[in-house]
Amino acid sequence: MDSADNFDLPAPREAFEASSEQPVWCYDQALKSGDRRYSAYVATVSVAKGDRLRRQLNAVVGELLHWAVYQPGPATPEDEST
């Protein structure tokens, strides 16, 4: 990326149709300021689409790590737990 203003974010996708038969994913995060719960329905995709999504996720994480290197100030474990 050339600058912090040069983010190419995709438009939000339409929500999946959820049914009571779909498995639910959930994660509980304990924090000092209170607990958080994240949850979503699991949607299965084809192998080809899964591979494409995995490549896109790898690219985004790589860009995020590249961006984080140039941010001022050290990151501390205390920052991550709030």
Side-chain angles (χ1 to χ4, degrees):
M1 279 189 227
D2 296 332
S3 70
D5 298 326
N6 191 18
F7 288 108
D8 185 21
L9 299 176
R13 291 183 291 180
E14 292 294 321
F16 289 111
E17 286 292 323
S19 74
S20 60
E21 298 170 6
Q22 285 180 284
V24 175
W25 168 90
C26 109
Y27 171 74
D28 293 318
Q29 181 182 22
L31 300 171
K32 292 177 185 176
S33 60
D35 295 343
R36 289 184 188 159
R37 170 169 270 202
Y38 303 92
S39 62
Y41 287 100
V42 176
T44 57
V45 296
S46 69
V47 173
K49 186 171 183 177
D51 288 342
R52 182 178 56 78
L53 290 172
R54 190 176 301 108
R55 284 191 306 271
Q56 290 176 339
L57 179 60
N58 285 339
V60 168
V61 169
E63 290 175 10
L64 179 60
L65 291 173
H66 179 76
W67 169 85
V69 168
Y70 298 102
Q71 297 308 300
T76 62
E78 293 82 30
D79 293 340
E80 296 174 1
S81 65
T82 59

